[in-house]
Structure formats: C-alpha cells, structure tokens
Amino acid sequence: MKRMLLLFIAAFTLVGCAAEQNYRGVPSPSWKHLSAEQKQLIVDRAYQDEIKQEGVVRTEK
Amino acid sequence: MKKSKTVFIVLLALLCTACAKPIMPPLKYNKPIEFHVAKNAALNWEVGKQYSSAMPSSTSYNAGLIGGIVGAVIESADRERRPSLYSISYGKAEQSIFMTSLRDTLEQNHVFKAVELITDPRQAPAKDTLINVYFKTARVSSPEKNYKITLSVEMAIAGAGKSPFKRTYLVESDTGGFGKSVMDQKIDVSQKLLEKMISGIEEWHKQSSKG
C-alpha cells in the first residue's frame, strides 16, 4: 500500500511537470514537427485573426 | 504487486503517447499538370471551425479497484495538462502543411510564374491571381467511426480582368482497410483535397481562357 502511494505521488508529479505548451493554437508536440515556414505561416495567420477580432471589439464599443 | 504493475503499464502508456505524436508529412502530387498561367499567384489561407475527437480512456478494467482508480486519476490529470495527446484534430498544423504542399505543387509544376503564401488578401498585388483557401470546417468523427476526417473547404480565385471563381469541396478520409491509422487518414483526406483543388484551378483557367 505504501509502495502504491509512493508510486502514485511520483507519477502525479511526473505528469504535473509535463504540462504541454500551446503555440498560437498548436500544441507543442505538433509544433515541434513543423518547418520554420509553416510556423511562420501559423503565427501570421493568428496575428491576422487577432487583428480581425480586435476590429470587431472596437466597432462593438 | 499485480496492481502496481498495472499502474506501471498505464504510466508507460501515458509516456509513450507523449512520444508517439507524429504529424502529417508534406504531400506529393504525382499526376502531370498540363496547364500554365503566365502570372504570379498569391495563396491566402483562412481558418474556420475545427471539431476534434477525444480518444477513449486507456485505463484497464482488469486493474482492480485501487489500480483502476489510481490509473484513472493519473490519466485524468494528464488529459487536463496535455489535451492534445488525447484528442485528434485536423488543425492549424495540418492545414499549414497542406498549404505549403499546395504551394510546392503549383511551383514545381510551373502552374504560375511564382506562388506566394499569404495570410492577408490585401498583401497580394492587384495584378496577381489571388487564390483564397478557406477551411470552413475540419471535423474528426468519434472513435466508433474510426476517426473519419471530413473537410469542407472553399476555394475562391480572383484574377485581374477575369471573372471570379468559387468552389466548395467536401472531402472525407477513407477509413477502410485493416490497420489504417489516423495519420493515414490525414494524408488520404489531404491528398484528395489537393487533387480537387488542382482540378479546380485548371477549371478556372479553362473558363477564364474562354472568356
């Protein structure tokens, strides 16, 4: 039982440390496999979407 | 000991899923393309809605009460912290690979004089041909339907002095065949879309040459 508890704590800590990051809507495991050009394209796309959204918010105000 | 073994297996499975997350490779178009447009083209990419599918729990029913609970708690925490490992989608990453593949296909086959990828249609010079690719919906079905991928993509082409052209393509991945992975389905659906788009550009070229 003690061993199980230790194992659980160890596993929980391990899982807790490995929280994934998100780059402009793309999770890090996928992001790592993209080329520099594809990453740039995603960043540009996200930037344009943000500008669009900001424009909508401003016109709503 | 049997229970701790089960927990170890769950943990190992969790760690392995972190490693096994390959992404779609660049697409290859092997058919000959016989038409050419003596103009530059700008390829604009737009993203619509994405519907992902959650993967079922990997906790074993034979783990026993404590083993099962521990496994489920670990998996639940991991799902929260690394959601992408437990869901399948045709998202921005796949779409960006598709867009660069489409650009490469058009360039390699000299369909246009030059092709540039853009994300804002205003970036395109007025004399260029503007090809707008809008991924309206990218849907992945449930595990019961073998994560079938359905894409609804709108392609609009506008060129100086030419009438506008618009087509919507609905493509589905082929789930048939033993051992067909999600990756195979992503490649399959993307390849189908690529072929439809090349045919669409050819249709536009024929129409605009007549008119």
Side-chain angles (χ1 to χ4, degrees):
Chain A
M1 192 65 196
K2 204 176 173 183
R3 191 189 281 177
M4 285 285 289
L5 196 68
L6 276 172
L7 186 70
F8 177 72
I9 291 166
F12 214 78
T13 315
L14 183 75
V15 165
C17 293
E20 80 179 8
Q21 283 181 297
N22 208 304
Y23 302 94
R24 302 277 178 169
V26 180
S28 56
S30 300
W31 184 261
K32 283 174 196 165
H33 289 92
L34 295 173
S35 70
E37 190 194 18
Q38 286 153 356
K39 286 176 184 170
Q40 186 62 54
L41 190 63
I42 290 168
V43 170
D44 290 348
R45 181 67 269 156
Y47 176 68
Q48 290 300 332
D49 291 341
E50 276 170 30
I51 289 174
K52 249 187 216 174
Q53 274 183 343
E54 249 179 49
V56 170
V57 172
R58 276 183 193 157
T59 47
E60 275 174 359
K61 277 178 186 174
Chain B
M1 194 61 204
K2 202 177 176 184
K3 284 169 193 166
S4 60
K5 258 187 189 172
T6 314
V7 176
F8 263 124
I9 289 165
V10 171
L11 263 174
L12 266 175
L14 290 177
L15 288 171
C16 286
T17 52
C19 308
K21 191 74 181 178
I23 194 141
M24 190 174 84
L27 306 166
K28 282 176 187 164
Y29 189 82
N30 297 321
K31 292 179 186 170
I33 299 177
E34 306 288 341
F35 67 98
H36 305 282
V37 184
K39 274 187 177 180
N40 291 345
L43 204 52
N44 184 52
W45 171 41
E46 280 187 63
V47 182
K49 287 183 178 171
Q50 293 156 34
Y51 301 94
S52 59
S53 179
M55 288 162 81
S57 171
S58 59
T59 308
S60 171
Y61 291 107
N62 303 322
L65 184 64
I66 297 173
I69 291 170
V70 170
V73 169
I74 292 170
E75 193 184 308
S76 153
D78 200 43
R79 271 177 189 266
E80 216 167 272
R81 288 176 196 278
R82 300 185 296 175
S84 78
L85 298 178
Y86 298 93
S87 69
I88 293 164
S89 64
Y90 192 96
K92 282 182 183 176
E94 288 80 6
Q95 290 178 26
S96 72
I97 294 169
F98 177 85
M99 291 306 293
T100 49
S101 299
L102 177 61
R103 191 270 321 269
D104 292 345
T105 305
L106 294 172
E107 267 187 352
Q108 282 158 14
N109 291 280
H110 310 289
V111 175
F112 294 94
K113 276 161 76 181
V115 188
E116 191 193 2
L117 269 172
I118 56 169
T119 50
D120 180 7
R122 288 170 300 181
Q123 290 170 356
K127 58 181 181 171
D128 284 6
T129 301
L130 176 65
I131 304 172
N132 197 59
V133 179
Y134 173 39
F135 282 81
K136 285 162 93 176
T137 54
R139 194 183 300 269
V140 178
S141 65
S142 61
E144 293 79 29
K145 289 181 181 169
N146 205 15
Y147 304 110
K148 186 177 195 167
I149 303 166
T150 309
L151 303 176
S152 173
V153 183
E154 188 183 274
M155 182 174 74
I157 308 176
K162 291 182 177 179
S163 53
F165 176 92
K166 195 186 257 189
R167 292 285 181 276
T168 301
Y169 303 111
L170 187 75
V171 282
E172 285 183 334
S173 63
D174 182 15
T175 54
F178 178 73
K180 197 154 195 176
S181 67
V182 173
M183 170 72 79
D184 293 334
Q185 290 203 57
K186 282 182 181 178
I187 296 168
D188 182 53
V189 76
S190 305
Q191 202 70 43
K192 283 176 183 167
L193 183 62
L194 185 67
E195 282 172 22
K196 286 203 171 189
M197 282 197 171
I198 300 291
S199 315
I201 296 169
E202 189 172 10
E203 193 190 337
W204 162 78
H205 176 61
K206 278 179 186 168
Q207 274 184 20
S208 54
S209 302
K210 280 179 195 169

